[in-house]
Amino acid sequence: MNSNLVLLKNNGAHKTFPLTDTIIVLGRRHDCDLRIPLPNVSRRHCQLSRDGESMELRDLNSKVGTFLNGKRVDKQVPLKPGDYIRIGPLTFVYQVDGKPGKITWPKKAAPQPAKPKKPAAKPAEDELEDSFADLDVSDSFASPSESDSDLEDLKDL
């Protein structure tokens, strides 16, 4: 059985994580098998366990919970291809032997495009003198460090 977790990114791209071990722990700690360095992901958030040809998901008493197809996981539950797993702000699709072949967002969890804002009434010229409306701040936000590969994988979310 060849199984993967496929991370759904907001820009439509995917990132595949092969699940090769019998037990895979997901969380924020450096010793987790799949590290998710986000503050709202618990140190040891959840666990995937392979039992022969099946895979099961269990929450490890995380603070914000682990969700399977939109429902909070409160006990160990079996996974099937195409299941959606939400850990903090991230959504993964469980894939087995290439199925499902087409990876898409769940119907209700798909990111919504930003609604265009209506142009504001143009203020008088003298009101613009103290305004920051013309300020370009596009380069003022920090991006994840290029040296931290875990953060690099998450920067497009």
Side-chain angles (χ1 to χ4, degrees):
M1 176 171 84
N2 181 16
S3 56
N4 302 305
L5 279 184
V6 181
L7 173 65
L8 302 173
K9 296 185 177 185
N10 289 338
N11 65 4
H14 305 121
K15 172 110 175 124
T16 302
F17 299 93
L19 305 174
T20 56
D21 294 331
T22 305
I23 296 177
I24 300 109
V25 176
L26 294 84
R28 201 175 69 228
R29 283 179 37 166
H30 288 282
D31 61 345
C32 287
D33 301 299
L34 180 55
R35 184 169 178 263
I36 305 172
L38 298 174
N40 53 352
V41 172
S42 293
R43 289 178 191 99
R44 291 176 44 89
H45 198 95
C46 65
Q47 175 179 300
L48 296 168
S49 304
R50 183 186 316 272
D51 183 20
E53 291 296 309
S54 66
M55 185 75 77
E56 294 183 327
L57 171 68
R58 154 172 96 102
D59 185 73
L60 297 175
N61 298 316
S62 65
K63 191 171 187 177
V64 297
T66 302
F67 294 82
L68 177 63
N69 299 321
K71 295 181 180 162
R72 190 174 186 131
V73 173
D74 57 1
K75 60 181 180 177
Q76 191 157 320
V77 293
L79 293 175
K80 61 185 185 311
D83 278 345
Y84 292 95
I85 301 168
R86 186 165 50 87
I87 301 167
L90 305 180
T91 301
F92 296 89
V93 176
Y94 178 62
Q95 186 181 51
V96 178
D97 296 328
K99 293 182 179 148
K102 184 177 180 184
I103 304 294
T104 60
W105 280 91
K107 299 271 187 245
K108 293 183 181 182
Q112 300 297 317
K115 293 180 182 178
K117 293 184 179 182
K118 293 181 182 178
K122 199 169 191 173
E125 193 66 42
D126 58 314
E127 291 178 27
L128 285 177
E129 288 179 6
D130 294 332
S131 172
F132 292 102
D134 297 329
L135 182 63
D136 180 13
V137 294
S138 62
D139 292 332
S140 66
F141 295 101
S143 62
S145 168
E146 296 296 324
S147 64
D148 190 335
S149 62
D150 293 321
L151 288 175
E152 183 66 26
D153 291 337
L154 300 174
K155 78 175 189 179
D156 293 330
L157 299 178

